[in-house]
Amino acid sequence: MVSYLYNLSERQVEELANDSLSVKYFLGLAVDDKVPDHSTLTVFKERLLRGGGEKVYEKLFQEIVRVAKTRGVEFGRVQVVDSTPVVADVDV
């Protein structure tokens, strides 16, 4: 779903999920949970595609997006940034 919505590769999804608490929350992962490796995501996507080609993949995610929108989820208007200020003695 994240890959589809943001037009990301599986490797980019792995990186995003490692860096974003909101993406981890969306995926149902705890803060300290390990994100699936990009190769695992690729295998999953290939299994979906084998079941009927790219049209099945597109239809699946279009339906998920449609249901989310009917339930009030808005895409693309808000960006959440997680940050924690840390005071550190560093050599610039």
Side-chain angles (χ1 to χ4, degrees):
M1 182 74 170
V2 173
S3 173
Y4 179 80
L5 286 176
Y6 297 103
N7 194 28
L8 300 174
S9 70
E10 286 75 22
R11 188 177 300 269
Q12 291 170 317
V13 170
E14 179 187 2
E15 289 175 18
L16 179 63
N18 277 319
D19 294 339
S20 171
L21 290 178
S22 59
V23 173
K24 273 195 166 186
Y25 177 78
F26 176 78
L27 297 173
L29 299 172
V31 173
D32 58 347
D33 282 347
K34 188 173 178 182
V35 173
D37 185 79
H38 66 275
S39 60
T40 302
L41 300 174
T42 300
V43 169
F44 174 72
K45 184 176 180 179
E46 287 173 356
R47 286 182 181 171
L48 281 178
L49 293 174
R50 262 189 259 136
E54 187 136 345
K55 289 184 180 186
V56 170
Y57 185 72
E58 291 290 323
K59 281 183 172 182
L60 171 68
F61 288 110
Q62 285 175 359
E63 179 64 13
I64 292 169
V65 170
R66 186 192 68 74
V67 169
K69 285 182 177 180
T70 62
R71 296 190 181 195
V73 175
E74 293 185 27
F75 297 101
R77 293 190 183 169
V78 176
Q79 180 176 359
V80 177
V81 178
D82 301 316
S83 67
T84 303
V86 176
V87 177
D89 184 17
V90 296
D91 183 12
V92 182

